[in-house]
Amino acid sequence: RMLEKKGIRVAEDTRDADHDEGGEQASARILADLDQPGERVCVARGGPGGRGNPSFSSKADRAPKRAETGRLGDKFRIELELKVVADIGLIGFPNAGKSSLLACVSRGTPKIA
């Protein structure tokens, strides 16, 4: 039986890096660079699952109370890095209404005096 694949949604222009055992970024290697919308990559695989109750059933024991645990999957540290912080910037004079405009057109919550 195939289980559904689990994933983590990340923003466009995100890259992930694998770190060594000590977690030093100097020795990190880039695993994937997600620069296209909808792009997917598998960086870690889960372990195979164990056998459940139905595999132990027999004519004498129709509902067994035992199961086997599965094996562990890949385990390592990954750092996700967003390459682009903003697509646009607002530049203007003081008291020109930049924060008010930002609050109206987005979900941003700037401090407005």
Side-chain angles (χ1 to χ4, degrees):
R1 181 179 80 148
M2 293 294 293
L3 298 177
E4 67 179 80
K5 295 180 180 178
K6 302 282 183 176
I8 299 173
R9 291 184 177 268
V10 295
E12 188 178 335
D13 281 339
T14 300
R15 71 178 182 180
D16 53 348
D18 180 19
H19 291 269
D20 66 349
E21 191 67 29
E24 295 295 325
Q25 189 170 0
S27 63
R29 63 184 172 100
I30 304 300
L31 294 175
D33 194 357
L34 304 173
D35 56 356
Q36 300 296 322
E39 190 174 1
R40 304 176 99 182
V41 65
C42 180
V43 294
R45 297 199 181 275
R51 295 187 298 165
N53 292 347
S55 62
F56 294 109
S57 66
S58 64
K59 290 183 180 180
D61 191 6
R62 302 292 287 177
K65 300 279 192 239
R66 63 181 177 156
E68 290 179 351
T69 57
R71 294 192 304 263
L72 294 177
D74 296 339
K75 182 178 178 181
F76 53 91
R77 183 171 171 245
I78 295 177
E79 180 176 310
L80 299 175
E81 179 182 315
L82 184 63
K83 295 191 308 186
V84 176
V85 177
D87 291 333
I88 61 168
L90 292 174
I91 300 173
F93 291 109
N95 300 328
K98 297 180 294 291
S99 296
S100 299
L101 175 67
L102 184 64
C104 289
V105 298
S106 70
R107 291 185 188 175
T109 55
K111 291 183 181 179
I112 301 174

